[in-house]
């Protein structure tokens, strides 16, 4: 920058532009930094538009317990006042939290979950049924297994659940509830070709499909031809995982036992200071 050239005054930006910029930050960056810059930014940080996108990836380093992080996420959703469009959560999502998000966010278009080991089939299916407008769904390394579930899909397809494997419960719920889906990532999911066929049948707008590490899917013959006719970008079960945020070996180390340790301190923060009060006080 030339000597004497003036720096832009960020405080003079129109509020809607500032809100759009802040919307690109993570939740903790907004709460711990941006909203403390000045009164003007604090006011903007409370506006619903700032919270149309909620990013809570890799927030464990903030020193809060999973219980506190869930509280912060609920506060963020509340600030959106029903205007939440995109949300991404790593590690700490629970069934109660996802139901709260779904019940509060009728405009939600994108839901991304990674390494949320407390999320199982039944809870995810319940949430999926509440989000018919969802266009992007990414579920990576969540439990998504367990006992066979009672079918919750509408009675218009009464035989779908009984024809499939319980590994396909989530895939069938996606197929029945999300006709507008354009992007789907089921990294490490246990669905079979039966569930995949249901998704292809009922999600006509699907363009991106990531099935890496989905070892029960066999994309050969008719299934291969069908996928390539329908899907613009297909990531097959054995495709490389270089661009995945965590390497597979790293994810394997984050076992359920690790997650239990991560969330054990549910009533306090290691920092000695309540993280929720620090963010919203």
């Amino acid at each position: 920058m030339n000597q004497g050239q003036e720096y832009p005054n960020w405080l003079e930006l129109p509020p809607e532009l500032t809100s759009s910029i802040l919307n690109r930050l993570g939740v903790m960056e907004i709460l711990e930094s941006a909203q403390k810059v000045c009164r003007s930014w604090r006011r903007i940080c409370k506006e619903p538009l700032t919270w149309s996108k909620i990013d809570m990836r890799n927030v464990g380093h903030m020193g809060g317990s999973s219980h506190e992080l869930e509280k912060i996420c609920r506060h963020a959703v509340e600030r959106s006042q029903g205007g939440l469009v995109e949300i991404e959560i790593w590690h700490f999502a629970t069934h109660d939290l996802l139901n709260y998000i779904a019940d509060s966010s009728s405009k939600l278009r994108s839901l991304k979950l990674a390494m949320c080991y407390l999320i199982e089939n039944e809870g995810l299916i319940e949430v999926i049924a509440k989000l018919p407008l969802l266009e992007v769904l990414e579920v990576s390394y969540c439990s998504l297994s367990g006992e066979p579930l009672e079918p919750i899909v509408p009675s218009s397809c009464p035989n779908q659940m009984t024809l499939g494997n319980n590994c396909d419960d989530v895939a069938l719920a996606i197929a029945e509830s999300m006709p507008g889906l354009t992007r789907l990532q089921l990294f490490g999911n246990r669905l079979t070709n039966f569930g995949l066929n249901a998704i292809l049948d009922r999600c006509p707008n699907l363009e991106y499909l990531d099935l890496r590490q989905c070892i029960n899917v066999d994309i050969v013959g008719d299934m291969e031809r069908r996928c390539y006719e329908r899907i613009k970008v297909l990531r097959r079960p054995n495709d490389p995982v270089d661009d995945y945020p965590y390497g597979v070996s790293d994810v394997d180390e984050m076992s359920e036992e690790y997650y239990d340790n991560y969330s054990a301190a549910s009533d306090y923060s290691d920092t000695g200071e309540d993280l929720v009060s620090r963010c919203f006080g």
Side-chain angles (χ1 to χ4, degrees):
M1 181 173 289
N2 296 331
Q3 188 173 4
Q5 185 174 349
E6 295 184 359
Y7 290 91
N9 187 343
W10 295 101
L11 301 181
E12 294 179 355
L13 290 174
E16 61 273 14
L17 181 55
T18 303
S19 182
S20 177
I21 294 171
L22 295 177
N23 194 243
R24 289 163 170 76
L25 300 178
V27 166
M28 303 310 297
E29 292 171 305
I30 295 174
L31 296 175
E32 288 279 69
S33 301
Q35 74 170 1
K36 299 178 181 180
V37 170
C38 62
R39 289 182 180 179
S40 173
W41 277 30
R42 184 171 182 82
R43 183 177 64 253
I44 294 171
C45 286
K46 292 183 178 181
E47 291 292 324
L49 183 60
T50 303
W51 301 96
S52 61
K53 179 179 179 181
I54 292 177
D55 180 355
M56 296 199 73
R57 294 175 291 171
N58 204 25
V59 291
H61 68 282
M62 298 304 299
S65 67
S66 59
H67 179 67
E68 288 175 315
L69 293 174
E70 180 173 342
K71 275 183 159 182
I72 289 170
C73 187
R74 285 174 179 261
H75 277 298
V77 173
E78 184 179 348
R79 282 191 177 186
S80 76
Q81 296 183 20
L84 181 62
V85 176
E86 302 177 27
I87 188 165
E88 182 165 4
I89 301 173
W90 288 9
H91 301 299
F92 67 89
T94 64
H95 295 161
D96 286 344
L97 176 59
L98 292 185
N99 271 299
Y100 176 77
I101 292 168
D103 291 337
S104 306
S105 311
S106 61
K107 298 178 181 179
L108 194 66
R109 296 292 192 275
S110 176
L111 172 64
K112 300 179 181 180
L113 305 171
M115 293 156 286
C116 298
Y117 298 118
L118 296 181
I119 301 300
E120 297 181 351
N121 284 11
E122 188 169 17
L124 185 59
I125 290 174
E126 183 179 354
V127 170
I128 286 172
K130 298 178 180 180
L131 299 171
L133 299 182
L134 208 65
E135 297 175 358
V136 176
L137 176 63
E138 296 186 5
V139 183
S140 303
Y141 287 107
C142 299
S143 292
L144 301 187
S145 62
E147 297 302 317
L149 306 174
E150 292 296 324
I152 67 164
V153 296
S155 57
S156 59
C157 300
N159 297 321
Q160 279 200 340
M161 285 293 186
T162 57
L163 290 173
N165 185 301
N166 68 306
C167 295
D168 288 309
D169 288 349
V170 170
L172 294 175
I174 290 170
E176 188 62 36
S177 304
M178 300 180 175
L181 206 62
T182 61
R183 180 184 176 96
L184 176 62
Q185 180 186 76
L186 292 174
F187 203 106
N189 190 264
R190 299 178 184 179
L191 84 162
T192 69
N193 280 27
F194 180 85
L196 177 55
N197 264 316
I199 290 171
L200 294 174
D201 284 341
R202 293 182 171 267
C203 300
N205 300 322
L206 194 62
E207 297 180 346
Y208 178 98
L209 180 60
D210 188 347
L211 298 172
R212 285 176 294 174
Q213 305 294 309
C214 295
I215 60 175
N216 294 332
V217 172
D218 191 16
I219 303 180
V220 296
D222 290 343
M223 176 62 76
E224 182 176 38
R225 182 174 64 256
R226 191 173 188 208
C227 285
Y228 281 114
E229 287 174 351
R230 286 281 321 281
I231 307 299
K232 291 182 179 179
V233 179
L234 175 66
R235 311 297 297 272
R236 301 169 67 111
N238 293 323
D239 279 358
V241 295
D242 313 24
D243 58 341
Y244 189 66
Y246 280 103
V248 174
S249 60
D250 295 329
V251 174
D252 289 340
E253 292 176 4
M254 295 178 184
S255 62
E256 294 186 27
E257 181 179 356
Y258 171 84
Y259 183 78
D260 288 340
N261 293 334
Y262 172 81
S263 57
S266 59
D267 297 321
Y268 64 89
S269 167
D270 291 338
T271 61
E273 179 182 5
D274 183 68
L275 186 62
V276 180
S277 298
R278 199 166 79 215
C279 292
F280 294 97

